[in-house]
Amino acid sequence: MNSPFTYELRHPTTIDPDKKYPALFLMHGMGSNEQDLLSLVKGLEDIFYIFSIRGPLAQPPGYAFFTIEGYGKPHREVFDKSIGQLKNFLDYASKNYSIDQENIYLLGFSQGAIVSMTLGLALGNRIKGIVALSGYIPAFVKKDYDTQPVENLSIFISHGENDPVLPFEWGVESKEFFEKQMAIVSFHSYPEGHTVSLQNYRDLIEWITNILKNGGNTNGK
């Protein structure tokens, strides 16, 4: 099975052939690339297999996971295809690397957060944890997707209170939607725009570290 995406891979220096490792999949924002988010997770390659995925669509100066027909409205056909390809990539990675299927995590910014949250809903408890930075859940995903149970899913959602690209309220709506689905939600707001602040970075690293220590139970913290 060939990879449906170009990607960067980071992993522990020494791999134990008898061990399965947690996996962390990174999805960048519009116009960026697979190098963008690696700095956020530097050091975690000592624990995880880290797959940083390049969006399949050219979007100068970089790439994208989907195109947009209107404000907060992805082109449905393009979006659905990308979600299908991302599902296939998770299968590809699982078959080709020593990944612990009980410890699969997603991290995305902006477009990457949007597809990460969608994958979480589509795959349900197959995903252990999600870090969604400055994203939203498309209306058609909430309405039309065959969403799976997420009561065992832990999700870190953060959003800038002064985000000029994707309104802060959309982050709050994502929080409320996942809470209604009984996911374990940790919501963080920051006095920033459409970016990841230093405090946001520190909080997400603390969250990931705690979720690994506690076996997925963060109690919303």
Side-chain angles (χ1 to χ4, degrees), residues 115-126:
V115 296
S116 292
M117 288 190 284
T118 300
L119 280 170
L121 292 167
L123 296 174
N125 291 325
R126 178 181 173 187

Side-chain angles (χ1 to χ4, degrees), residues 4-8 26-37 52-68 78 82 85-86 109-115 194:
F5 290 103
T6 298
Y7 63 98
E8 283 283 328
L26 310 182
M27 277 76 78
H28 61 74
M30 177 180 281
S32 191
N33 60 48
E34 68 276 16
Q35 303 295 330
D36 185 49
L37 298 177
S52 191
I53 305 169
R54 177 193 294 177
L57 306 172
Q59 180 69 49
Y63 302 87
F65 287 94
F66 57 87
T67 51
I68 299 171
V78 178
S82 187
Q85 289 174 319
L86 286 165
F109 173 74
S110 195
Q111 273 206 356
I114 295 166
V115 296
H194 195 65

Side-chain angles (χ1 to χ4, degrees), residues 121-178:
L121 292 167
L123 296 174
N125 291 325
R126 178 181 173 187
I127 306 299
K128 174 60 74 67
I130 298 172
V131 175
L133 309 169
S134 304
Y136 66 90
I137 308 167
F140 61 74
V141 171
K142 297 177 183 178
K143 179 183 177 182
D144 299 335
Y145 268 46
D146 181 20
T147 58
Q148 301 299 305
V150 292
E151 70 275 4
N152 295 324
L153 170 71
S154 294
I155 181 166
F156 176 106
I157 299 173
S158 68
H159 217 102
E161 295 166 359
N162 301 305
D163 192 330
V165 179
L166 303 177
F168 174 72
E169 291 75 18
W170 291 4
V172 175
E173 289 173 4
S174 298
K175 163 189 175 289
E176 293 173 347
F177 185 82
F178 272 101

